[in-house]
Amino acid sequence: MNPTECVGDITEHRPYSTRASDIWALGVILINMVGGNHPWSSAASTDEDFLEYLEDPAYFMSKLPITDGLNAILQRIFTLNSFQRINLKELRKAVIAL
């Protein structure tokens, strides 16, 4: 879960979407499965790794041994605007296609 999303620190989107937050959490689990660690300590503007991700679309590829396809899925999962984030049905299709 992106805790800053729940309180609106990074974006001003309200109300908070539990479904979109669950997708974010699935992304963290996916990264842990593939890379063996968390992508950043905290999804907050105070975390250097998170800020690096926000600035670099190839962030995951520089940190993990992943394909372009998985990187594209991760970018759709970790979209800051929760209302633009990939939904569960789309995520399932994307993972199966990969």
Side-chain angles (χ1 to χ4, degrees), residues 1-17 21 24 40-47 50-51 54 78-82 85:
M1 177 175 78
N2 177 354
T4 58
E5 180 176 288
C6 299
V7 294
D9 284 352
I10 294 178
T11 64
E12 296 300 319
H13 298 288
R14 298 190 196 255
Y16 152 72
S17 168
S21 184
W24 186 284
W40 40 71
S41 296
S42 175
S45 58
T46 56
D47 187 290
F50 185 66
L51 290 176
L54 293 177
F78 294 119
T79 298
L80 285 185
N81 183 335
S82 61
R85 195 168 298 150

Side-chain angles (χ1 to χ4, degrees), residues 1 23-33 37-39 78:
M1 177 175 78
I23 295 295
W24 186 284
L26 286 172
V28 172
I29 292 168
L30 181 58
I31 286 187
N32 276 279
M33 290 171 54
N37 58 13
H38 296 296
F78 294 119

Side-chain angles (χ1 to χ4, degrees), residues 4 22 28-29 32 37-38 48 53 55 62 83 86 91:
T4 58
D22 289 347
V28 172
I29 292 168
N32 276 279
N37 58 13
H38 296 296
E48 290 180 25
Y53 160 73
E55 294 175 9
S62 68
F83 298 103
I86 191 171
L91 178 57

